[in-house]
Amino acid sequence: MEITENAALVVIDVQKGFEEEFWGKRNNPAAEENIAALIDLWQETGRPVAFVRHDSVEGSRSPLRVGYEGNGFKDFVEERRGKGRGPELLVTKSVNSAFYGAPSLDGWLTGLDVAQIVIVGIQTNMCNETTARMGGNLGYEVVFPLDAMHTFDLEGPFGWSMSGDELSRATAVSLHGGRFAKVVTTEEVVRGASVGVG
């Protein structure tokens, strides 16, 4: 697939708080390596990168609360911020969609004439999926590299529960089958982004 020259990488909630036992068992141990590879590629090619941070308003319960160590980005993300040749933005939010944050992600993307966004980060079936759906509704071409994100096992209603892998597959089928996003691999994104660059 083709990744446009000004496609934006949206890095969602890659925060230290997600390393705590609070969340339970996670999937995809390769997520961080793939996220780092895509940030590096975007910064090397001068493409725009938005770093999104969840500032929880749930008080003392959340590992992502403001003022707590868990609110900060994981080290591999923090050390890359500000190192790119292209535009970068920090968005803070307290809900599931990066489009409901400050400053406005949509406004920033529109100002850069961006039509294609690539979503990575945490969690696959929560903020990543919500941002992808809203991005699709706003008219963006959304690319969703499933192996550059992860989620956690989750309990739902009626005694139902699903593993992180099952939830990721459900998200992938819903987004791709529902045409909200193109669900791909990191390798496909790298290959598509490298065409015609350099």
Side-chain angles (χ1 to χ4, degrees):
M1 70 167 309
E2 181 184 355
I3 301 297
T4 61
E5 287 188 13
N6 74 332
L9 184 67
V10 183
V11 183
I12 298 179
D13 301 351
V14 186
Q15 292 165 254
K16 295 178 180 178
F18 279 118
E19 296 174 348
E20 299 192 8
E21 293 181 7
F22 174 89
W23 305 97
K25 183 182 176 184
R26 63 168 278 185
N27 76 328
N28 190 21
E32 285 82 356
E33 179 183 349
N34 290 327
I35 293 166
L38 291 177
I39 295 173
D40 288 345
L41 175 59
W42 252 251
Q43 292 184 325
E44 288 164 8
T45 57
R47 289 180 169 95
V49 181
F51 294 98
V52 182
R53 187 184 73 218
H54 192 85
D55 289 350
S56 177
V57 293
E58 293 180 17
S60 61
R61 287 183 51 235
S62 175
L64 305 179
R65 64 187 181 274
V66 178
Y68 179 65
E69 182 183 7
N71 179 255
F73 289 118
K74 294 189 181 190
D75 291 343
F76 81 93
V77 169
E78 187 58 43
E79 66 192 17
R80 284 170 166 81
R81 289 183 58 217
K83 303 289 175 63
R85 296 194 293 112
E88 290 189 12
L89 179 72
L90 171 64
V91 176
T92 60
K93 64 177 180 61
S94 60
V95 293
N96 303 108
S97 174
F99 286 102
Y100 284 128
S104 168
L105 177 60
D106 184 46
W108 184 71
L109 295 170
T110 300
L112 294 172
D113 200 27
V114 169
Q116 185 185 60
I117 61 173
V118 178
I119 293 174
V120 302
I122 310 169
Q123 300 180 55
T124 308
N125 58 315
M126 298 291 186
C127 295
N128 293 7
E129 180 175 348
T130 304
T131 300
R133 287 177 181 274
M134 190 165 177
N137 285 340
L138 288 170
Y140 293 97
E141 180 187 1
V142 180
V143 180
F144 204 80
L146 196 64
D147 56 353
M149 56 188 73
H150 77 79
T151 191
F152 302 89
D153 297 359
L154 193 63
E155 293 182 8
F158 314 122
W160 296 347
S161 62
M162 295 178 74
S163 69
D165 282 341
E166 290 170 332
L167 289 165
S168 293
R169 284 195 293 269
T171 289
V173 170
S174 293
L175 290 181
H176 196 89
R179 299 184 180 177
F180 288 99
K182 293 180 180 176
V183 179
V184 296
T185 64
T186 296
E187 183 181 350
E188 288 177 282
V189 173
V190 170
R191 197 161 54 237
S194 300
V195 174
V197 171

